[in-house]
Amino acid sequence: VQLQASGGGLAQPGGSLRLSCVVSGFTRTRYVIGWFRQAPGKEREGLSCISADHGGTYYAPAVRDRFTISRDNAKNTVYLQMNSLKPEDTAVYHCAVGVEGCTHYLIYGQTFDYYGEGTLVTVSS
């Protein structure tokens, strides 16, 4: 399984970025794709998750009103649209694949089964 995240960079507070994640080599039909982030000195934080088959989504409360996850199955790509960015959003953002439901990873804290290297997002003026 390979996950390639891109789209990170520098954004100003209040700005937007869109992250992309291309998933390849995963043969299951029922799985979820999620995003989590990790800032220096902080614990890993699950952000959002989407089901690959039925498209159901889940968001962590910290990003629910600002971030939107979507998928393009034809391109094997999942997106994370991030709006109203704050300095505390600065982190390395990883996309990940899980074989359980989204709640396993974003509520119960289970580690995703596969994840990539991540893309750095810096929010600063």
Side-chain angles (χ1 to χ4, degrees):
V1 179
Q2 291 187 324
L3 299 104
Q4 182 64 53
S6 62
L10 176 64
Q12 292 190 341
S16 299
L17 285 173
R18 188 177 80 155
L19 306 183
S20 300
C21 175
V22 179
V23 181
S24 61
F26 199 71
T27 58
R28 288 177 179 247
T29 56
R30 298 185 66 182
Y31 59 97
V32 299
I33 307 105
W35 289 91
F36 67 90
R37 66 188 178 190
Q38 188 153 23
K42 294 186 178 181
E43 292 188 356
R44 185 175 296 179
E45 180 183 12
L47 303 174
S48 185
C49 182
I50 186 167
S51 169
D53 55 346
H54 59 73
T57 58
Y58 181 86
Y59 296 92
V63 302
R64 180 170 295 140
D65 296 328
R66 301 186 294 124
F67 292 6
T68 302
I69 192 169
S70 61
R71 78 193 197 287
D72 184 337
N73 285 349
K75 297 181 179 180
N76 294 325
T77 302
V78 172
Y79 304 97
L80 186 68
Q81 177 67 41
M82 306 187 296
N83 298 327
S84 302
L85 285 165
K86 306 174 182 179
E88 52 264 42
D89 292 319
T90 296
V92 176
Y93 285 67
H94 300 262
C95 60
V97 166
V99 300
E100 306 287 351
C102 285
T103 54
H104 285 261
Y105 307 104
L106 296 194
I107 295 179
Y108 305 135
Q110 182 175 327
T111 301
F112 282 93
D113 300 278
Y114 307 93
Y115 57 91
E117 291 190 355
T119 183
L120 176 63
V121 171
T122 303
V123 184
S124 175
S125 56

